[in-house]
Amino acid sequence: RGGPDLGPPKCGPSRPQPIAGVAGASPPWGFQLAVALTLVAQVLWRNGCGWRAVCAGVSAVLVAYSVLGRASRAPAAAVPAQDRRRAGEEFAAACSRAANGLLIEDVVAALELFEEILSQLPGGGPAVLVFRSQVSSVRGADQKQTVGGVLHRELEAGLHEGYGPPQMNPKSVSCELYWAGVLALDFGRQVVSGARDLGQDATVDGPALAAYEATYERHHGWVLRQAFRAAFWAARDTPAAEAVQGLAAVDLGAMQGLHEAVAREFASRGLEDNRQV
């Protein structure tokens, strides 16, 4: 999926040490696989792909899980605080740089670093499969263009004709960027912020559900809503303080700044995605 190939992909920065920290928040392996299969099948089918493409996508997920198993990630206690702090500083710097100029290459670099944070949140593990595809589509755009430039270019080219505006073409770079740079980024920020604000005895499923209802829920159909709610239910015994312990170095202000800057570009052009997938 995504827009036309307008140039070779830009190599992103080297990945930092994982900002490990959501201990015990991930659902069991079998549940993650089931949600991942549901996500892939739903996204392919809702975007007009035939049953062969859906079967191929589901098969690819099965092969990836069988070969790779669960992604190996060091527990929070095994990652030195200095490394977590350095990774947090790198992510904050990437967000600030991207928000200032809104160059596509800078936004992609920040989103690539955000992937590690998203993967550790309740419901984030399977969501990363779709997030990676969305970021990959944005990476295929002209890296020297700004976010506003890419949105304007696709509008002028009539790429959204037959859909809107305000509704975007689901296969456009604009739509992929909306999901990755507006919805996903805001979901992650709200989960971490909500978990930090809770008392010692609170669990992480509450802020995760609240963040989901404020971001993704209206864009999901019944199947995906139930899948994400099940993921939050699986994290019901995880204390909120424990869940974000390793994410203490994440600068929520920088993350919010990037989210708001990207969201303004869509709002100023009246572009949005009102589908349910």
Side-chain angles (χ1 to χ4, degrees):
R1 300 199 301 144
D5 185 5
L6 301 177
K10 176 77 174 179
C11 295
S14 58
R15 295 295 180 94
Q17 291 291 327
I19 312 178
V22 184
S26 297
W29 181 89
F31 175 79
Q32 288 195 11
L33 175 57
V35 176
L37 291 174
T38 302
L39 281 167
V40 171
Q42 283 281 310
V43 169
L44 290 174
W45 184 259
R46 293 283 186 168
N47 283 282
C49 298
W51 67 269
R52 292 180 185 273
V54 174
C55 290
V58 169
S59 299
V61 174
L62 286 171
V63 170
Y65 268 78
S66 63
V67 172
L68 300 177
R70 298 184 71 177
S72 59
R73 183 177 293 112
V79 180
Q82 182 177 0
D83 290 343
R84 295 201 303 269
R85 184 168 58 253
R86 186 183 305 114
E89 290 171 353
E90 183 175 351
F91 176 61
C95 285
S96 298
R97 182 166 56 251
N100 286 335
L102 285 181
L103 283 176
I104 289 294
E105 64 177 344
D106 292 337
V107 173
V108 167
L111 292 176
E112 287 176 338
L113 296 174
F114 172 67
E115 179 187 314
E116 178 65 29
I117 298 172
L118 178 63
S119 69
Q120 296 177 57
L121 301 176
V128 162
L129 292 173
V130 178
F131 179 80
R132 286 175 181 166
S133 173
Q134 293 159 349
V135 174
S136 178
S137 296
V138 178
R139 195 184 297 116
D142 184 348
Q143 297 294 287
K144 298 302 181 183
Q145 280 275 356
T146 62
V147 169
V150 169
L151 300 186
H152 177 76
R153 184 175 179 178
E154 292 192 337
L155 267 173
E156 289 296 302
L159 198 60
H160 306 304
E161 289 181 3
Y163 298 92
Q167 175 59 49
M168 294 176 284
N169 183 336
K171 298 183 179 180
S172 65
V173 173
S174 301
C175 195
E176 300 283 36
L177 179 58
Y178 179 82
W179 279 78
V182 177
L183 295 179
L185 206 60
D186 197 32
F187 170 73
R189 182 193 64 80
Q190 291 196 40
V191 173
V192 178
S193 176
R196 286 180 180 176
D197 292 341
L198 291 178
Q200 192 69 25
D201 297 330
T203 55
V204 74
D205 56 315
L209 178 59
Y212 176 77
E213 290 174 340
T215 55
Y216 282 127
E217 186 175 52
R218 73 183 182 92
H219 300 282
H220 285 170
W222 184 87
V223 173
L224 286 183
R225 288 185 183 187
Q226 301 314 306
F228 272 83
R229 286 176 180 273
F232 304 145
W233 180 84
R236 68 194 184 283
D237 294 328
T238 304
E242 176 186 333
V244 296
Q245 179 182 5
L247 297 174
V250 175
D251 187 335
L252 294 180
M255 191 188 303
Q256 182 175 0
L258 176 56
H259 159 259
E260 291 179 347
V262 175
R264 278 195 299 269
E265 294 297 317
F266 284 91
S268 67
R269 292 166 177 81
L271 292 173
E272 56 188 30
D273 189 0
N274 291 317
R275 298 171 303 142
Q276 284 193 340
V277 297

